[in-house]
Amino acid sequence: MRIPLSWLREYAQVPPGATAEDVMAELVKVGLEEEGVHRPADQISGPVVVGQVLSIVKEPQSNGKTINWCQVRVVPEGKAQTLTQEGIDPSGVQGVVCGAHNFAEGDKVVVTLPGAVLPGDFRITPRKTYGHISAGMIASSRELGIGDDHDGIIVLSRMGLDPEIGADALELLGLDDQAAEINVTPDRGYCFSLRGVAREYGHATGTPSVDPASLVAVAEPSGPGYPVRLEDADGIHGKPGCDRFVARTVRGVDPTRPTPPWMASRLRLAGIRSISLVVDISNYVMLELGQPLHFYDLDRLSGEIVVRRAAPGETLRTLDDKVRTLDAEDLLITDASGPIGIAGVMGGAATEVSDATRSVLIEAAHFEEVSIARSRRRHKLPSEASKRFERGVDWEVADEAAQRAVDLLVELSGGTPETTATDVGTRPEPSVVDLPADYASRRVGIDFTEDQIVGTLTDLGARVEPHADGFRVTAPTWRHDLTNRDDLTEEIARLVGYDKIPKTLPVAPPGRGLSRVQQQRRRVLQALAAAGLTETLSYPFVSAAQNNTFGTAEAGSEPRAVRLANPLSAEFAFLRRSVLPGLLDSARRNHSRGFRDLALFEAGLVFLPGATLGTPSIPPLGARPSEDVLDGLYNGLPDQPLHIAAVFTGHDSPAAAGHAPRAYDWADAVDAARLAADVLGVELLTHQGTHQAFHPGRTARLALRTGETVGYAGELHPRLLADLDLPARTVAMELNADALFDSAADVIVAKHLSTYPVSTQDVALVVAADVVAGDVLEALREGAGELLEEVALFDVYAGPGIEEGKKSLAFGLRFRAADRTLTADEASGARSAAVAAAAARFGAVQR
């Protein structure tokens, strides 16, 4: 919200010399956020004065253009020129070359004299052009930064002005004003008006403010006005979409009259473009009082106005000249011809006010917030009106807003008001809250006095009455957000001053810290980062195809997924079942930008819906659901385990002299998974596996000792890599971290480190080609007994010397005893037992 200071001074006691920065500094004290300063004087400076054209000599040029050689008086006749800049004529008459032709002798215009600076750092100096010394410029709206018109200069009489020659044109056009811009949070919608900001400035400075609504004298109607009927009693969540509709009529208006410069400059500083007098008046009242208005061409209405929900198949051509298909939830303004506007969002083109309009119907209605917000989002129609309605508008200010618009139409467009008025509907009841006397003090930690509590709430506009051991507080109608004790407590603390709240640091209770799962999660992420991987974050939104590919190991199946009701993108309309899609997108994006050696990992929740997803209905607002209803809501939520995934592309290190980097392979993906398990003290077993996103034959299934599958690792499928434009042999892994956490011991006990020497023996076994090396390794581990410290596969061979259909697996075995030095016979005996176990299980023959 931009607040022109000249406008704010009408309702708040802003010091004459205060700047926009000063105003924002005060508003920050009451919880508003500063956004910026808008000051035309930062881009434009004088001398810019009112001049009168004395003579015009038209001079055709060889290029086909005709220029005007003008003599312009910039000082009243008989007075001396006090400006002394180079190029300013002491006589008070300037010679100026002008290419525009929309003015005549005797017109008063805006003249930028030598020494002036216009927006864009355009400096005015005397210059020779078309055979003359042009000492200044007759300005257009665009050159002054107050409009888009560049075809002709500003003729002040057409703006309804007849100022004195030599007057300061910057002040005349409001270019000496400035605006402070604040950020308005959703619960402070009343600050989208000068009415609300003036009140907040008064709170911040301890000075009185004037409610602009109180300055409007609402005429007593002589009878009912234009017929209006409300047909939406139930609405959304049981609340009617429109509970009050005020309408007034003004006839004989002249919409072609110019908008007064004071109004146009204030609208411009407030961030709203001046369009036409009638439209500008509606915007002006909205900014002043916070009540959005809509003006209808009365002669284009047919029959009574009905406020209702849309019917199936209805359409509306809105003011932006687009035909919109309406939804059954859309709240409409209709007449006998059908829809003429989406309530609180945008009007229809059929009843738009134009230059031919002579009678205007003014609408000042109160619409329900949810209806307006949903229609605005559904039709992607953000507007100044919807921004206010969806945050809440004061239902009591409709009369004053309509009357203010009537008064301005009469004053500025020459209209005649009708004495009748429309006011239908039932005004909502304001919130009434019982506030115990000590409640605010207990919640905030300050001993508020009774005078502070009553005084701040009264200043807020609330009615405060003694009640039981405290107060009964009736919230003001413009503060629909004050519904309970905590809301009132926040306002008391805000207005007394946040700086009065004592600063105390809470003392952590003994024995508390990170939970077990938090510790495990940090341990895993720190281990992966320490191993050289880079953590990334990605959105949890994926496409159906990505969920079908990564969300299940079996090809051809379509796993259940959670579909978003309002996705950011129609392509990515589902919540992920796997972390890999987002991680691979990060890898692809980095790879396309020249980063070829990547080791990335991500930890995030995945969403795995069960048999029940969601609930048939949503509980109503304003009351805590019962335990049964809450249980139903929780049962409808998908399972959300934490997954950890990693992707490797390129090489493990940069190339250097004397060093050949190693390309990442499937073993790196498996090692990353094992590392995550190792730091938790969990043993992770690898088995030959299959997954539709991974390469057939180069995929490891990762499992616990219980046999539960907790993830996959290996090379990604070549077809998938080609589609993603990633290098061949890109490898990845993904683990269900929650399953690892659950299987981890509460306390990880380090193994005893033996000081006795190790005995190492190797064995090569010939087995059938289809036997999995990992299964043979497990057989060796079981057969070797407790003396075996470690066993590892270090070679696989098939070729000359090995029977066709078979392969040789070479293992290294490390033996060690905790209490003695092993003899060669003991180590050989354990080795023989291991070979025997492999022979019994797989027919292994020692080479």
Side-chain angles (χ1 to χ4, degrees), residues 538 576-583 602-606 643-645 734:
S538 59
R576 65 189 177 192
R577 291 180 57 94
S578 166
V579 179
L580 277 175
L583 192 57
E602 179 177 357
L605 299 180
V606 298
H643 277 208
I644 295 176
E734 183 166 10

Side-chain angles (χ1 to χ4, degrees), residues 355-431:
D355 289 348
T357 298
R358 292 297 174 265
S359 299
V360 174
L361 180 70
I362 301 167
E363 168 204 299
H366 182 258
F367 300 116
E368 190 264 332
E369 297 87 349
V370 174
S371 289
I372 305 306
R374 290 187 179 181
S375 291
R376 191 265 298 173
R377 293 188 181 99
R378 182 180 301 115
H379 296 289
K380 297 180 176 62
L381 270 176
S383 65
E384 291 293 328
S386 65
K387 181 166 62 177
R388 287 162 174 79
F389 277 126
E390 67 183 61
R391 287 166 172 80
V393 169
D394 181 6
W395 58 82
E396 290 290 351
V397 81
D399 285 327
E400 288 80 1
Q403 182 67 55
R404 178 69 163 139
V406 168
D407 295 343
L408 288 172
L409 283 172
V410 171
E411 176 187 354
L412 302 177
S413 73
T416 302
E418 286 195 353
T419 58
T420 59
T422 301
D423 190 347
V424 297
T426 303
R427 306 182 190 197
E429 293 294 328
S431 299

Side-chain angles (χ1 to χ4, degrees), residues 39-109:
R39 190 164 26 229
D42 290 342
Q43 297 187 1
I44 185 172
S45 61
V48 181
V49 299
V50 174
Q52 186 173 34
V53 180
L54 301 180
S55 65
I56 301 174
V57 177
K58 296 185 178 297
E59 298 181 356
Q61 304 297 311
S62 58
N63 59 5
K65 184 178 180 180
T66 298
I67 62 99
N68 298 314
W69 171 240
C70 307
Q71 299 298 311
V72 185
R73 177 172 293 281
V74 294
V75 176
E77 191 170 3
K79 291 188 177 181
Q81 173 62 272
T82 59
L83 300 175
T84 58
Q85 287 94 329
E86 180 185 356
I88 294 182
D89 197 308
S91 68
V93 177
Q94 298 290 122
V96 178
V97 172
C98 182
H101 301 282
N102 65 321
F103 63 103
E105 294 178 356
D107 283 342
K108 290 183 178 180
V109 295

Side-chain angles (χ1 to χ4, degrees), residues 492-541:
I492 294 169
R494 182 174 72 89
L495 297 186
V496 170
Y498 290 134
D499 57 327
K500 304 294 192 302
I501 300 175
K503 300 176 179 65
T504 57
L505 290 175
V507 178
R512 300 287 181 89
L514 296 176
S515 67
R516 174 177 177 269
V517 171
Q518 288 173 329
Q519 291 175 343
Q520 292 171 324
R521 185 175 187 273
R522 288 194 179 188
R523 198 178 304 143
V524 171
L525 299 186
Q526 288 172 353
L528 291 173
L533 283 78
T534 301
E535 185 176 9
T536 67
L537 294 174
S538 59
Y539 287 116
F541 312 128

Side-chain angles (χ1 to χ4, degrees), residues 79 90 132 171 247 263 292 296 299 426-427 433 632 717 776 778 833:
K79 291 188 177 181
H132 300 281
E171 180 180 354
M263 179 180 286
Y296 300 92
D299 297 328
T426 303
R427 306 182 190 197
V433 181
H717 200 289
V776 178
E778 284 300 311

Side-chain angles (χ1 to χ4, degrees), residues 611-688:
T612 302
L613 181 60
T615 54
S617 61
I618 298 176
L621 302 177
R624 187 181 189 279
S626 66
E627 294 301 323
D628 291 341
V629 173
L630 287 174
D631 289 342
L633 292 173
Y634 290 133
N635 292 336
L637 293 176
D639 187 23
Q640 300 174 47
L642 178 73
H643 277 208
I644 295 176
V647 171
F648 301 84
T649 69
H651 297 82
D652 65 345
S653 58
H659 168 68
R662 181 185 63 83
Y664 286 121
D665 60 19
W666 61 268
D668 294 287
V670 174
D671 285 346
R674 283 177 172 162
L675 175 62
D678 286 345
V679 296
L680 298 174
V682 175
E683 185 179 6
L684 196 63
L685 304 180
T686 57
H687 306 280
Q688 184 71 41

